[in-house]
Amino acid sequence: MSKYIVEDPRKVTTHRLIEMKAKGDKIAMLTAYDYTMASIVDAAGVDAILVGDSASNVMAGNVTTLPITLDQMIYHAKSVVRAVKRALVVADMPFGTYQVNADEAVKNAIRIMKETHADALKLEGGEEILPSVRKILDAGIPIMGHLGLMPQSINKFGTYAVRAKDEEEANKLMKDAKLLEEAGCFAVVLEKIPASLAKRVAESLSIPIIGIGAGGDVDGQVLVCTDMLGMSGEFSPRFLRRYANLSDVICDAVGNYVNDVKTRDFPNEKEQY
Ligand code: KIV
């Protein structure tokens, strides 16, 4: 059991997240991609777990999120859901599964929900994907939007730099956020945009705004678990706070194990039958 205080042990719902915003309670979200990490992260008290398509980078070693498939995302989401007791589980719809048309989007969304038992889905984009968003919501599936830096569009952006610094892109982002709220999304992630813009969006919407590199004046934060645990090498954007250095911890442990095997210290008499 976690030593961290969880005020309300009931399963978190999309409704609860909206209530948290109304009450001014901050929302803590992290990614997880497998059973073991998800059970630890859940026990430690996060409100929501994102089965992010960052699994493509973090779990599979791809350069972008684009290659991960629907089947692979379903595998990750199923593993996470099996572990989680309290947090809301949101699964990313991978690139190519909701952009073609709304019928294909809803078919893929239903498949993820049926096979994984996730609580909600996340889609990247605003006005352009609105028909898909509406159709999925009409099927009774909760959606978290994602605006700002959208990694599935990296080939269009050409860079992972901060988005919406100019007025035109900032206005579009604000409009998209409002459209997502009006359509019925329960929350929106804002990635890597100026803190002042994220604040304005959070103040203009009544659904929670979850930031990653979007400053502190939003309703919650999300980080990639392996980044905040110090397992992702040199990757250290300004917005990332490292809470541990697990790469060093694991490296020490493995190094000691190798040494113990080679020196015949492991296993000893008590470690055998
Ligand atoms: O896939 C992911 O990890 C994400 C977060 C960066 C928000 O979308």
Side-chain angles (χ1 to χ4, degrees):
M1 195 52 198
S2 167
K3 68 177 169 135
Y4 297 98
I5 297 158
V6 174
E7 281 169 13
D8 191 340
R10 288 173 305 155
K11 171 85 184 162
V12 179
T13 60
T14 56
H15 186 69
R16 276 260 296 288
L17 294 188
I18 294 170
E19 277 176 3
M20 285 173 78
K21 168 160 184 154
K23 285 199 275 175
D25 293 345
K26 294 280 185 185
I27 297 162
M29 185 173 194
L30 274 183
T31 67
Y33 317 100
D34 64 74
Y35 180 89
T36 304
M37 184 66 83
S39 55
I40 297 168
V41 162
D42 186 49
V46 293
D47 301 301
I49 293 180
L50 173 65
V51 188
D53 59 357
S54 48
S56 177
N57 312 86
V58 173
M59 295 283 112
N62 292 310
V63 175
T64 72
T65 59
L66 276 71
I68 200 161
T69 65
L70 188 57
D71 285 343
Q72 288 165 340
M73 282 304 297
I74 286 173
Y75 168 82
H76 287 296
K78 265 173 144 168
S79 310
V80 167
V81 169
R82 270 187 223 117
V84 171
K85 295 190 172 73
R86 177 179 175 273
L88 182 90
V89 179
V90 182
D92 261 338
M93 288 195 74
F95 176 65
T97 61
Y98 58 95
Q99 291 92 345
V100 176
N101 61 52
D103 287 338
E104 218 175 284
V106 75
K107 209 170 114 217
N108 290 327
I110 288 171
R111 193 173 154 221
I112 302 177
M113 297 301 283
K114 260 191 187 297
E115 293 185 28
T116 70
H117 302 179
D119 300 308
L121 301 178
K122 178 164 80 58
L123 279 68
E124 294 180 9
E127 196 168 9
E128 312 74 24
I129 59 152
L130 218 50
S132 295
V133 167
R134 290 208 179 99
K135 192 119 192 177
I136 294 169
L137 287 166
D138 284 348
I141 300 170
I143 295 183
M144 174 178 269
H146 183 152
L147 298 170
L149 178 63
M150 294 175 282
Q152 292 181 12
S153 300
I154 189 59
N155 293 319
K156 183 173 86 179
F157 295 151
T159 164
Y160 284 100
V162 178
R163 302 305 312 177
K165 278 165 76 172
D166 63 71
E167 204 179 321
E168 193 185 335
E169 197 176 329
N171 289 341
K172 174 167 166 39
L173 188 144
M174 177 62 89
K175 186 176 162 212
D176 282 343
K178 286 185 176 161
L179 285 171
L180 292 172
E181 175 171 62
E182 277 160 27
C185 290
F186 72 91
V188 176
V189 166
L190 294 182
E191 180 165 353
K192 222 170 172 187
I193 63 165
S196 55
L197 173 62
K199 178 174 191 272
R200 278 201 286 128
V201 178
E203 285 169 354
S204 308
L205 269 59
S206 50
I207 56 171
I209 301 301
I210 312 291
I212 172 163
D217 291 320
V218 288
D219 307 300
Q221 300 292 328
V222 59
L223 285 176
V224 169
C225 64
T226 45
D227 293 344
M228 62 85 78
L229 292 171
M231 300 172 79
S232 42
E234 299 304 301
F235 180 68
S236 76
R238 193 202 296 196
F239 67 75
L240 176 62
R241 185 180 295 181
R242 286 222 171 103
Y243 286 84
N245 196 340
L246 287 199
S247 284
D248 283 357
V249 172
I250 294 169
C251 208
D252 275 354
V254 173
N256 285 331
Y257 165 74
V258 169
N259 197 47
D260 287 353
V261 170
K262 303 231 180 249
T263 59
R264 297 174 166 75
D265 180 75
F266 176 80
N268 63 25
E269 276 177 15
K270 287 189 196 143
E271 291 162 330
Q272 62 192 4
Y273 300 99

